[in-house]
Amino acid sequence: MDKEQVKIIRDGDVLAIRLERADKGNALTARMGELIVAALAALDPGVKLVRIDADGADFCTGRDSPIPTLGTKPSAETVRQVVALPPLALYDAIKAVPVPVLTVVRGRAIGAGCALACVADLVLCADDAVFQIPEMERDIPPTLVMAALADRVPVKTLAHMIYSRMPLSAVQALEAGLVASVMPAAGLDAAADMLVQTMLGNGAVTLRAVKQFLSLAPGMAPASASVLAGHLAATALSTRF
């Protein structure tokens, strides 16, 4: 899929997704998003982990806007269909993956790129990473990015990033809860490889159980979360007999 500017391959028990549009800051095209969504929808049951990274200096600097192609007075429904729904489908597809999703981030993660990076379950970033949501500079409410991140980061962090437009450094992103770990850029890939190998030491059922609990339990009443915990633990343990 190299010609599509995103490379998606099965690497053992990992589905590896790499953005390959470095000359454009790995900005997402509609086609790139479609390919990622399709690959995640067709995820093989044997896959234990999805890893997303990018070529070049930047992770993803946003997306190619389709607005200029819509004419002078597009309807709200046209804008919703063409502009809003594709990225929302991408973010929702990542959240719906039944196994952990890891993003490996270096350089800039801007707008849709910030959403793509931080919507994942695990985010490792280099110390040169920068996270920003600058849409308000163009008087655009970044509700699509907000939809991706509202259940991933503290609301006050999200509000500050949006209203201030200020970029967060890697260390600030770590303190704000956007990312899980920060390391020197030279060691980023090795650290990601080590984390992947650690996770692959677990069975698919165990990894899926943890993902499902983390996805569902925070919105549950404590008693319901306990029921879910018992069910998932029993299911995972039963596979050992």
Side-chain angles (χ1 to χ4, degrees):
M1 296 185 184
D2 301 55
K3 65 179 181 180
E4 304 287 3
Q5 300 173 322
V6 59
K7 186 176 183 179
I8 305 174
I9 62 170
R10 173 77 178 269
D11 182 10
D13 292 333
V14 178
L15 182 69
I17 300 174
R18 170 161 290 189
L19 309 183
E20 295 193 327
R21 202 184 181 207
D23 59 324
K24 299 293 185 181
N26 288 311
L28 292 168
T29 65
R31 179 60 177 164
M32 291 166 71
E34 290 171 357
L35 289 169
I36 295 172
V37 169
L40 296 178
L43 197 71
D44 186 278
V47 169
K48 294 183 177 182
L49 173 72
V50 176
R51 174 175 173 168
I52 304 174
D53 60 15
D55 281 345
D58 294 311
F59 177 74
C60 177
T61 55
R63 68 179 180 124
D64 286 359
S65 173
I67 290 179
T69 67
L70 299 182
T72 55
K73 292 185 178 181
S75 68
E77 179 59 19
T78 296
V79 175
R80 188 180 77 90
Q81 291 284 343
V82 178
V83 179
L85 293 188
L88 289 174
L90 175 59
Y91 307 146
D92 288 346
I94 293 172
K95 290 185 180 183
V97 174
V99 297
V101 178
L102 165 68
T103 49
V104 184
V105 182
R106 52 171 45 87
R108 294 177 293 171
I110 309 297
C114 182
L116 178 63
C118 299
V119 74
D121 304 295
L122 296 163
V123 187
L124 299 186
C125 75
D127 53 10
D128 67 351
V130 175
F131 301 85
Q132 187 180 20
I133 307 172
E135 279 84 345
M136 293 283 274
E137 292 177 354
R138 293 172 287 148
D139 202 29
I140 297 173
T143 53
L144 310 182
V145 175
M146 293 165 69
L149 301 183
D151 63 344
R152 294 296 197 260
V153 300
V155 172
K156 289 185 178 180
T157 296
L158 190 57
H160 180 75
M161 292 182 72
I162 290 165
Y163 287 124
S164 73
R165 295 87 142 170
M166 294 296 293
L168 295 185
S169 68
V171 172
Q172 289 172 321
L174 178 64
E175 294 171 347
L178 280 169
V179 307
S181 183
V182 177
M183 59 212 61
L188 180 63
D189 290 330
D193 291 342
M194 183 178 298
L195 176 59
V196 167
Q197 290 307 310
T198 297
M199 295 175 70
L200 292 181
N202 293 110
V205 174
T206 297
L207 292 170
R208 287 171 180 251
V210 172
K211 171 70 178 275
Q212 188 173 3
F213 187 85
L214 291 174
S215 298
L216 298 177
M220 289 181 164
S224 298
S226 292
V227 171
L228 176 64
H231 171 73
L232 293 173
T235 301
L237 290 170
S238 70
T239 63
R240 299 187 180 184
F241 301 99

